[in-house]
Structures are given as structure tokens and as C-alpha cells.
């Protein structure tokens, strides 16, 4: 069997998966706090090809056995900040976080929410609401947590928030502070749907409560998706062309095998 068939097929499958990731990015370009995913395409182990001689095998070279999409890596670059004027909208700004000495990049700030199962998850989507019991919650019903990792009750929804996350109700009574955590290694966060993130790294490196000097939340604003529409559309066209090229390779192999069976085999 022609080895190139497997190589071209793996290329088609990889580009198809890449197209799915890009399509998901495009469909979430208007989702607040959404972080774009980038496909990490890796090569299967290469084979060292040698000619089998009677005396000594002569090396011919290396042969790639195909590619695959290893994972979708989210980019945690800050998205544009848009003013909404809604008291329950919050945007986290990473400007106060220190730069990593090795990578030159910042970590990311996060909100913490409680799921229906009682687990803690993280999000950058600060488009919140007030539920029927007066708790600050996401649009999917997960309650936003305070510094004590307990749900925050804001009453009738009339409140103000300082840049460090401290809440004050309309009657002047303090309602605690929003939990704002800092993740130095955001690449260890994995998406779990509903714009939520789960920590997949070591517990010792999990997002921790950010220092006062690092906290920066803006009330009445939301962080938009960091999807670059122009780049995404270009990448989709590139993925399509890659898929099409591998398809043509398979068609060429198919014609070669047809010729071998129908013509050469009769000689």
C-alpha cells in the first residue's frame, strides 16, 4: 500500500479538526471574555528509511508518517474592553500583573464561580446578573464567589464596585469583595463549556487570590472576545486549501492504483 495515502489522509483529518476549532472561534467572536483557541498540529514519529542491500543497508532518509492535532491551546491575551453602563457588568484588566521574566508575558486575572455540583470554576466573562435570591450570578446560573469563596449577595442589584473588587450596596452597607484571582500559568486552564475554565495543573500553582495592587476591575464594562476576525478568516481559507491539497494527493494515488490494476495487471 502507498505510504502517501496515510500521510495525505492524516493531513485531511488534521485540517478538518483545525477548521472546526476556527469555526468555534468565529462563532464566539461576540461572546464576552471568550479566549480564542489555536490548533497545535504535531507530526507523528518519523521513520528512517534504508535500502536493503546484500552487504550493508544504505540510509535513504527520513519519512514522515503524518500529522495530527494534538490539542487546542487557548490564547489568554487581553480582549478589547467595551463600556455597557450595566452595574452587573465587570471587566478584568491585566495591566497591573507583573511580566514573566522568562516569557515576557503576563498571567491573567480570573473570576471564580460555583457550579451546581459545588465545584469552583473560573471565568473571564464578567457579564453577570442578579438571581431571584439576590446573589450575583453568571447568565447560566453559577453564583459568583467573594474573597471568602462564598456566593455574593447584593440584594436588589443596586450596588457599586471599586477597582479592587470591593462591593457597596445602595444603602451604604459593604457586601464584601469579589474574588479576583491571578493565574501565573494560564496555559494550565482548560475550557469546560459555558465560558468556564478548570485548573488542570498542580494544586500548588492553582489561581490564588490576587494582591490588592494587582486587582483591577471596571464596573459597567465587559471584556470582549479576543478573536481576531481577519486572521481567523484567513486561517480558515488556509486550512481549506490544505485540506484540498491533501485531497488531490489521494485522488492521484487512486488514479495510480486504478491504472496499476486495470492496465499494468493485464500485461
Amino acid at each position: 500500500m502507498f505510504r502517501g495515502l496515510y500521510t495525505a489522509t492524516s493531513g485531511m483529518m488534521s485540517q478538518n479538526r483545525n477548521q472546526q476549532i476556527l469555526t468555534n472561534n468565529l462563532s464566539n467572536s461576540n461572546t464576552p471574555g471568550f479566549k480564542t483557541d489555536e490548533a497545535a498540529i504535531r507530526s507523528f514519529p518519523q521513520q528512517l528509511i534504508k535500502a536493503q542491500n546484500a552487504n550493508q543497508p544504505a540510509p535513504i532518509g527520513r519519512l514522515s508518517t503524518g500529522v495530527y492535532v494534538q490539542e487546542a491551546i487557548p490564547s489568554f491575551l487581553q480582549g478589547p474592553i467595551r463600556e455597557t453602563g450595566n452595574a452587573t457588568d465587570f471587566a478584568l484588566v491585566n495591566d497591573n500583573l507583573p511580566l514573566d521574566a522568562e516569557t515576557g508575558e503576563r498571567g491573567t486575572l480570573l473570576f471564580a464561580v460555583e457550579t451546581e455540583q459545588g465545584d469552583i470554576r473560573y471565568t473571564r466573562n464578567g457579564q453577570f446578573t442578579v438571581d431571584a435570591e439576590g446573589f450575583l450570578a453568571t447568565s447560566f446560573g453559577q453564583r459568583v464567589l467573594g474573597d471568602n469563596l462564598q456566593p455574593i449577595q447584593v440584594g436588589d442589584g443596586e450596588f457599586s464596585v471599586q477597582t479592587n473588587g470591593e462591593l457597596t450596596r445602595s444603602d451604604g452597607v459593604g457586601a464584601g469583595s469579589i474574588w479576583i484571582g491571578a493565574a501565573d500559568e494560564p496555559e494550565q486552564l482548560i475550557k469546560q463549556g459555558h465560558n468556564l475554565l478548570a485548573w488542570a495543573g498542580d494544586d500548588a500553582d492553582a489561581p490564588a487570590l490576587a494582591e490588592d495592587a494587582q486587582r483591577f476591575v471596571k464596573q459597567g464594562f465587559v471584556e470582549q472576545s479576543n478573536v481576531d476576525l481577519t486572521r481567523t478568516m484567513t486561517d480558515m481559507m488556509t486550512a481549506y486549501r490544505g485540506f484540498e491539497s491533501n485531497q488531490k494527493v489521494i485522488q492521484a494515488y487512486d488514479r495510480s492504483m486504478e491504472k496499476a490494476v486495470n492496465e499494468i495487471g493485464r500485461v
Side-chain angles (χ1 to χ4, degrees):
M1 182 61 68
F2 298 111
R3 290 190 179 98
L5 271 176
Y6 299 104
T7 303
T9 301
S10 70
M12 289 180 64
M13 294 174 64
S14 297
Q15 293 300 340
N16 181 56
R17 176 60 182 145
N18 187 25
Q19 189 79 290
Q20 292 174 357
I21 293 173
L22 293 169
T23 301
N24 182 63
N25 290 340
L26 194 62
S27 64
N28 283 282
S29 60
N30 291 322
T31 302
F34 179 82
K35 298 304 176 185
T36 185
D37 288 317
E38 298 178 0
I41 300 179
R42 300 285 186 266
S43 173
F44 286 114
Q46 294 181 333
Q47 295 178 347
L48 180 62
I49 307 300
K50 293 184 177 181
Q52 296 296 324
N53 298 329
N55 301 323
Q56 184 73 22
I60 297 176
R62 296 185 179 275
L63 174 68
S64 177
T65 55
V67 296
Y68 67 102
V69 176
Q70 185 180 45
E71 59 182 331
I73 303 175
S75 169
F76 284 91
L77 293 175
Q78 179 87 50
I81 304 299
R82 177 174 61 88
E83 184 174 6
T84 65
N86 297 326
T88 54
D89 287 345
F90 307 100
L92 293 173
V93 182
N94 295 333
D95 292 349
N96 290 351
L97 290 175
L99 293 173
D100 187 277
E102 296 182 359
T103 64
E105 298 181 356
R106 303 183 194 275
T108 188
L109 295 176
L110 300 163
F111 294 113
V113 300
E114 185 180 53
T115 65
E116 295 179 355
Q117 293 74 29
D119 300 323
I120 295 178
R121 293 294 181 263
Y122 308 101
T123 184
R124 288 282 300 186
N125 184 359
Q127 198 169 53
F128 300 138
T129 185
V130 178
D131 65 17
E133 298 179 26
F135 287 96
L136 197 63
T138 69
S139 57
F140 295 99
Q142 298 96 0
R143 289 178 173 173
V144 182
L145 301 180
D147 281 357
N148 57 359
L149 292 180
Q150 296 298 317
I152 301 173
Q153 191 164 30
V154 294
D156 58 3
E158 296 293 332
F159 60 90
S160 61
V161 179
Q162 299 182 26
T163 56
N164 63 357
E166 292 184 6
L167 290 92
T168 304
R169 297 177 187 170
S170 57
D171 55 7
V173 178
S177 297
I178 300 175
W179 189 93
I180 300 175
D184 296 330
E185 299 179 3
E187 63 275 6
Q188 298 293 334
L189 293 163
I190 57 174
K191 296 183 177 181
Q192 289 196 332
H194 293 173
N195 225 348
L196 298 182
L197 302 163
W199 181 253
D202 295 335
D203 291 341
D205 299 323
L209 191 66
E211 300 176 4
D212 287 341
Q214 297 176 351
R215 292 164 166 253
F216 194 169
V217 58
K218 299 180 69 174
Q219 186 179 18
F221 294 78
V222 292
E223 179 189 9
Q224 296 179 282
S225 166
N226 67 353
V227 175
D228 186 329
L229 292 177
T230 302
R231 179 184 173 186
T232 301
M233 293 297 293
T234 303
D235 289 345
M236 289 180 71
M237 289 299 300
T238 302
Y240 173 75
R241 295 303 181 191
F243 183 93
E244 192 178 49
S245 298
N246 284 289
Q247 187 180 46
K248 291 184 180 299
V249 170
I250 292 178
Q251 291 173 347
Y253 272 113
D254 182 64
R255 287 193 296 269
S256 298
M257 288 188 291
E258 181 181 6
K259 191 178 184 69
V261 172
N262 295 334
E263 297 183 20
I264 300 176
R266 290 183 298 187
V267 176

